[in-house]
Amino acid sequence: MKENLITIKTGQKGSPIGDLFGIFLEDLNHAADGGLYAEMVQNRSFEFSGTDHPSYHSLTAWERIGQEQEVTLDVREGEAVSEKNPHYLRVEISGRSREAGVRNTGFEGGMHFQKGKKYLFSCYVRCPETVGHTLCVSLRNAADLEIAHKEFTVKAASWDKIECEFMAGETAAGGSLALVITKGNSMEFDFVSLFPQETFRGRRNGLRLDLAEALEELKPRFVRFPGGCLVHDGSLDENARDSLYRWKNTVGPLEERPARRNNWRYNQTLGLGYYEYFLFCEDISAKPVPILPAAYDPHHKRAVPLDELEPWIQETLDLIEFANGDETTKWGSVRAGLGHREPFGLEYLGIGNEEVGEGFRERFPYFVKAVRRKYPEIKIVGISGPFCGGGEYEMGWECARQSGADIVDEHYYMAPEWFISNVHRYDSFGGESPYVFVGEYAAGSNSGKSALAEAAYMTALQNDCHAVKMACYAPLLCHREYENWKPDMVWFDNDKVCRSVNYEVQKLFMNHQGDELVSCELQTDMENEELITLEARKQGDIYFWGDEARVLFTEIELYDEDTGESIFLPDTEVMADKIPVLLKENAPQNIRLKFHALEIEGFKGFRVYFAWKNEKNRMYWVFGGWENQDAALVEEIDGKGCFLSQNQFHVEKEREYALELHMSGSRLEGWIDGELFQSVTLMPMEMEPIYLTASRDRAASDLILKVVNLKNEPFETGIKLQDVEGTEYQCDVYLLLEENCAEHSDFPGVETAEVNQETKTVELNGSDKKFMWRFPERSVTILRLKNNMI
Ligand code: AHR
């Protein structure tokens, strides 16, 4: 067997890598409110409501101190501090409770205080009747004992802002902030706030230090924000409680920012608003990539009429002015007034998240045209929908091309096997605009297995930087006690931060991105290894299923596609609902399945499962899908559904559909009423001997080689450096081994791993300037060869 050899052609000029690896920040999983945004009081202005979450009310996270008969908590509407947050709290005392007042228990799990650390309290307060009452504000531990307190005399009958600094006398978990009236019998409160004094860069209204530092450590080239579905789900009326995310609601005095429904079933104060996002990007030297809605809510199919788009387009232009305009401009002066005279240097702007349907495609071009006209230098990001292929995906790309977008945002959440077998997805993409932005992706779980698959995929993203301009993992942050979506890169509770192994991979790739691709080639005799054979993937049973619906399947016929023979079925008519009904055990691998489907009851749709091996490994054709909005061909691997092709589709009740599923070779087709509706080619699931990419960091003058070995055996190879002068180099080595992954004891289901780091001296031998290296099994390695490597 020939020796393995990696040849790195350092003398050749490669494509610029640009802003390839970044992060995506969306307030889901309490990522911002209750997370990165350091405010410790939940429901600080008493605005929570059932619109945000069915269990919410205006006193969510607040508790009475004192007897129920003696202390009344009354949330009122009207003369609050700001009309934008119209509620406030009146506390009335009518008895002799030992203590009378109210406490805030913070976010999930209670407030966490650290001994010796300072906390900044502020609150608006007034005495509705007589003045001169006294209020004792305290930090309390879980046993309700004070660990810091301060007394205020409340002098005013109108809103007065009181503020103080506390130092926690002990470390306490599950704590609270207590407001106790010590003299007088009524008092009113609004905008009750508590921040740790230590925030990221010491900013007031700032970010939680440990979380922001974890993000800074990544060294992302960009930050995509503020969503996600967060951006495009909600009412089109910016004043509505459930409005879409509108950036102008998020800047200016906190009191004026309406605390609203967050579409991830909680409430967002908007305290972390656009100004704070821009500041954070600047602080961590990442480029901001704001995403704005396109006057269309795909979830509820709400669309602004085309002849009323103007204010939405203006809002988009105003954002650019807010970021980049000088002080003489209207919005530039607003930014300057907030304390930032210099422009933020916005380069990218996204319109839309993963909208499907004509509603988006009709509106998007108007936005592009207007931005182009006024700000030709801005790079506009379009979208291709929530899946990696199918009708919506194609139409999304076409719309972006036609309207002249610069980049297209693709999203996919798939199994590790999908990532491994799709590493060449972008090889054939052209090196011209629109380029690709992989704006959301993750491989199934917070595990070494998934992280390694992501790493292999990232080597390919870097190698395809002629076509792929940006990529970011999603979602980024998750509070342990409030999970909307997983996996997530970073987990936390009110005290701790847990960097998943997926985070470590992202960090390696971001910290060692480099700015120019360097060509590298692998010569090996080793063959690709099949992870699962096509035959095994296609083998299994066939079932019918009603998705929260009762569905009648009739005229069922099954053929062996290889022989053309009809296969005997005990039932040619099946009624299915929530329990899948077996049609055929162990069907042939190549089939033609014909049937009619009629939804009798329900609102979602139905599925035909095939190649069913077990409940976690199977394929299906789904009709209705999410919110009865699509049809898709899906391969499920170890419980992770990989949506291979998706089209818009709405199952109409009591309408009979004539359907056909063809599976032959690697081709999968779905036919509806005699027409080909969707199709997909099943990519071979193969693992390559290793995955590698090289780049150059010009400023540091370093050559960076990233290698991912997915095999269960080490990969020993020569590494030849073409066109280098020296014979000896210092090399920083970063190594992540799957065998070092372990579940975090406080964050069940989340694996973490230490990255080993050492510096070695590499000696190049002989005239072909080669050194030997052994890449351990199941590992990610970064070799950073230093000093004059260019
Ligand atoms: O990242 C979580 C969600 O996934 C995003 O909000 C959305 O864009 C996607 O569906």
Side-chain angles (χ1 to χ4, degrees):
M1 191 162 145
K2 238 177 35 204
E3 183 191 90
N4 298 319
L5 184 66
I6 295 171
T7 305
I8 306 182
K9 300 177 179 170
T10 68
Q12 288 184 8
K13 196 167 163 46
S15 304
I17 302 177
D19 302 320
L20 185 57
F21 296 125
I23 56 174
F24 165 44
L25 192 42
E26 175 173 17
D27 193 1
L28 83 164
N29 304 320
H30 272 302
D33 275 64
L36 185 60
Y37 181 51
E39 173 64 85
M40 296 170 74
V41 173
Q42 185 171 205
N43 192 11
R44 65 185 173 190
S45 56
F46 309 98
E47 300 302 325
F48 277 31
S49 102
T51 312
D52 314 333
H53 187 282
S55 74
Y56 279 5
H57 48 82
S58 48
L59 281 170
T60 294
W62 291 94
E63 287 172 3
R64 170 185 304 99
I65 298 178
Q67 300 293 323
E68 193 176 342
Q69 312 82 321
E70 296 174 359
V71 181
T72 311
L73 303 186
D74 183 16
V75 174
R76 299 180 165 205
E77 193 173 346
E79 296 149 358
V81 169
S82 159
E83 280 175 15
K84 292 280 176 66
N85 289 297
H87 297 92
Y88 62 94
L89 173 69
R90 174 184 285 215
V91 180
E92 275 185 17
I93 307 167
S94 56
R96 291 170 173 274
S97 285
R98 189 179 60 81
E99 281 197 314
V102 65
R103 100 175 69 246
N104 188 275
T105 52
F107 288 89
E108 278 68 9
M111 294 180 183
H112 191 273
F113 302 114
Q114 251 184 294
K115 184 175 179 178
K117 295 281 180 196
K118 291 183 179 159
Y119 297 86
L120 305 180
F121 163 80
S122 68
C123 165
Y124 287 89
V125 60
R126 69 183 174 194
C127 293
E129 279 127 25
T130 48
V131 296
H133 293 177
T134 50
L135 172 70
C136 180
V137 182
S138 57
L139 308 186
R140 301 202 173 181
N141 64 16
D144 206 21
L145 300 173
E146 288 186 354
I147 57 171
H149 80 274
K150 167 122 177 98
E151 201 147 89
F152 293 89
T153 302
V154 181
K155 299 192 195 82
S158 55
W159 290 118
D160 185 26
K161 189 169 185 184
I162 55 172
E163 291 177 273
C164 76
E165 191 179 282
F166 288 116
M167 184 183 295
E170 66 179 58
T171 295
S176 63
L177 171 74
L179 308 174
V180 173
I181 300 167
T182 46
K183 187 174 154 217
N185 46 23
S186 67
M187 217 174 263
E188 292 177 346
F189 301 98
D190 203 355
F191 248 87
V192 184
S193 170
L194 186 72
F195 273 79
Q197 188 213 35
E198 259 180 20
T199 56
F200 189 62
R201 300 286 193 271
R203 295 190 191 286
R204 296 299 286 261
N205 190 47
L207 304 183
R208 206 176 115 171
L209 186 61
D210 53 358
L211 280 171
E213 281 180 350
L215 303 187
E216 184 184 34
E217 268 171 41
L218 288 165
K219 301 198 184 142
R221 296 284 167 120
F222 65 86
V223 182
R224 175 179 180 246
F225 65 89
C229 291
L230 182 84
V231 168
H232 67 202
D233 178 293
S235 160
L236 302 172
D237 172 5
E238 75 211 80
N239 295 315
R241 249 219 93 91
D242 64 341
S243 117
L244 293 181
Y245 193 99
R246 306 292 288 271
W247 77 267
K248 288 183 185 173
N249 276 334
T250 78
V251 293
L254 292 181
E255 297 82 349
E256 301 295 327
R257 303 185 197 180
R260 289 272 174 81
R261 176 200 79 126
N262 167 312
N263 76 310
W264 293 104
R265 291 166 70 78
Y266 54 97
N267 182 289
Q268 58 196 1
T269 58
L270 303 177
L272 170 51
Y274 258 75
Y275 181 66
E276 291 79 16
Y277 273 118
F278 279 129
L279 275 184
F280 179 56
C281 291
E282 187 173 78
D283 283 345
I284 64 171
S285 306
K287 293 185 183 173
V289 186
I291 307 297
L292 293 180
Y296 176 61
D297 166 7
H299 293 176
H300 306 92
K301 302 255 182 281
R302 297 163 171 144
V304 175
L306 292 182
D307 57 3
E308 292 173 25
L309 277 184
E310 203 281 324
W312 292 75
I313 291 174
Q314 191 56 47
E315 192 168 316
T316 307
L317 299 175
D318 289 346
L319 177 70
I320 303 173
E321 190 173 283
F322 176 73
N324 290 357
D326 64 35
E327 282 179 83
T328 61
T329 63
K330 177 175 169 199
W331 285 99
S333 75
V334 172
R335 184 201 64 242
L338 294 174
H340 202 283
R341 292 183 63 192
E342 289 302 309
F344 281 116
L346 182 70
E347 282 180 35
Y348 299 97
L349 177 69
I351 312 286
N353 169 47
E354 43 183 47
E355 288 84 343
V356 289
E358 274 310 303
F360 174 80
R361 293 190 286 271
E362 276 172 357
R363 283 158 187 75
F364 179 71
Y366 289 93
F367 286 84
V368 178
K369 211 166 150 193
V371 173
R372 277 275 174 275
R373 198 180 310 125
K374 191 155 183 203
Y375 299 106
E377 70 284 6
I378 294 287
K379 297 188 190 86
I380 303 170
V381 183
I383 57 149
S384 64
F387 300 106
C388 72
E392 288 300 309
Y393 173 85
E394 298 298 342
M395 286 187 279
W397 265 93
E398 193 47 30
C399 166
R401 258 183 229 113
Q402 294 297 330
S403 26
D406 299 282
I407 309 175
V408 176
D409 182 9
E410 302 202 342
H411 296 175
Y412 33 82
Y413 296 92
M414 306 292 226
E417 291 77 3
W418 183 90
F419 280 93
I420 295 167
S421 41
N422 280 274
V423 288
H424 298 292
R425 179 176 170 88
Y426 299 113
D427 289 4
S428 60
F429 277 50
E432 69 281 335
S433 130
Y435 298 101
V436 177
F437 176 7
V438 188
E440 294 182 24
Y441 70 94
S445 63
N446 287 124
S447 63
K449 179 180 175 185
S450 294
L452 257 59
E454 285 151 9
Y457 198 70
M458 289 172 85
T459 62
L461 294 179
Q462 183 175 306
N463 287 331
D464 284 330
C465 66
H466 65 282
V468 183
K469 293 298 164 195
M470 304 162 105
C472 48
Y473 181 99
L476 181 59
L477 297 169
C478 184
H479 193 299
R480 189 182 65 177
E481 308 291 340
Y482 191 91
E483 185 187 295
N484 291 116
W485 189 291
K486 67 177 183 186
D488 302 282
M489 212 204 286
V490 177
W491 290 73
F492 60 93
D493 58 19
N494 294 344
D495 168 33
K496 293 178 288 302
V497 173
C498 165
R499 294 157 170 82
S500 69
V501 56
N502 314 69
Y503 168 96
E504 301 299 346
V505 162
Q506 293 291 326
K507 183 173 163 187
L508 285 174
F509 276 73
M510 287 185 221
N511 281 201
H512 306 286
Q513 182 190 290
D515 24 52
E516 194 177 283
L517 197 66
V518 174
S519 158
C520 65
E521 270 172 23
L522 171 68
Q523 285 166 273
T524 178
D525 284 346
M526 214 182 258
E527 305 261 300
N528 287 358
E529 188 181 311
E530 209 156 14
L531 292 167
I532 323 175
T533 64
L534 187 60
E535 290 68 34
R537 287 158 74 191
K538 296 196 312 177
Q539 180 272 323
D541 310 335
I542 301 175
Y543 288 83
F544 285 121
W545 183 60
D547 187 359
E548 292 179 39
R550 232 155 66 83
V551 184
L552 182 65
F553 297 91
T554 55
E555 298 184 40
I556 309 170
E557 295 168 40
L558 179 64
Y559 297 90
D560 183 323
E561 192 73 333
D562 293 330
T563 62
E565 279 172 20
S566 160
I567 296 169
F568 170 75
L569 297 172
D571 303 303
T572 55
E573 197 167 303
V574 164
M575 179 71 87
D577 51 22
K578 41 184 181 294
I579 298 169
V581 178
L582 178 66
L583 179 76
K584 174 75 187 136
E585 237 179 326
N586 206 10
Q589 285 159 19
N590 294 327
I591 51 165
R592 176 175 299 241
L593 174 67
K594 299 171 83 169
F595 59 100
H596 285 207
L598 175 75
E599 185 178 282
I600 294 169
E601 266 174 38
F603 62 95
K604 265 185 136 178
F606 53 91
R607 290 180 189 186
V608 51
Y609 286 104
F610 53 102
W612 170 305
K613 288 157 271 298
N614 53 51
E615 288 196 352
K616 290 187 161 184
N617 293 283
R618 54 194 180 177
M619 298 192 197
Y620 54 90
W621 192 14
V622 48
F623 294 87
W626 186 79
E627 302 268 317
N628 194 359
Q629 289 198 7
D630 52 19
L633 289 164
V634 184
E635 182 169 15
E636 194 170 341
I637 305 164
D638 279 337
K640 181 72 204 160
C642 303
F643 281 67
L644 304 176
S645 175
Q646 175 265 5
N647 288 49
Q648 275 219 302
F649 189 83
H650 175 79
V651 178
E652 288 173 40
K653 209 182 303 177
E654 289 177 16
R655 163 158 179 210
E656 187 164 310
Y657 297 94
L659 304 168
E660 275 189 48
L661 175 75
H662 300 181
M663 180 160 64
S664 181
S666 58
R667 180 99 178 143
L668 201 55
E669 290 178 355
W671 293 67
I672 302 180
D673 294 333
E675 293 199 9
L676 180 62
F677 184 68
Q678 52 200 157
S679 64
V680 69
T681 301
L682 297 171
M683 299 294 287
M685 289 206 165
E686 290 183 343
M687 186 199 283
E688 298 182 8
I690 50 166
Y691 299 82
L692 71 163
T693 184
S695 60
R696 180 180 280 131
D697 179 332
R698 282 213 172 273
S701 190
D702 291 351
L703 178 71
I704 305 163
L705 176 66
K706 307 187 187 79
V707 175
V708 181
N709 181 6
L710 296 181
K711 301 223 169 190
N712 287 318
E713 60 201 55
F715 187 86
E716 190 117 28
T717 183
I719 301 179
K720 178 171 154 184
L721 301 182
Q722 270 187 358
D723 305 313
V724 294
E725 298 290 321
T727 53
E728 200 178 276
Y729 290 96
Q730 291 292 295
C731 180
D732 289 345
V733 184
Y734 302 83
L735 178 64
L736 190 156
L737 296 165
E738 188 186 43
E739 67 177 31
N740 287 350
C741 291
E743 190 172 79
H744 192 292
S745 54
D746 291 322
F747 296 87
V750 182
E751 288 185 7
T752 58
E754 288 239 333
V755 173
N756 304 324
Q757 191 193 334
E758 58 180 332
T759 301
K760 289 192 166 177
T761 304
V762 160
E763 278 177 35
L764 304 186
N765 294 320
S767 57
D768 54 356
K769 303 260 168 130
K770 196 173 78 176
F771 64 100
M772 296 304 295
W773 204 268
R774 187 171 187 268
F775 294 101
E777 64 267 32
R778 308 284 300 156
S779 66
V780 181
T781 307
I782 310 283
L783 298 184
R784 194 166 180 127
L785 290 144
K786 305 179 80 71
N787 310 325
N788 305 317
M789 286 303 307
I790 298 171

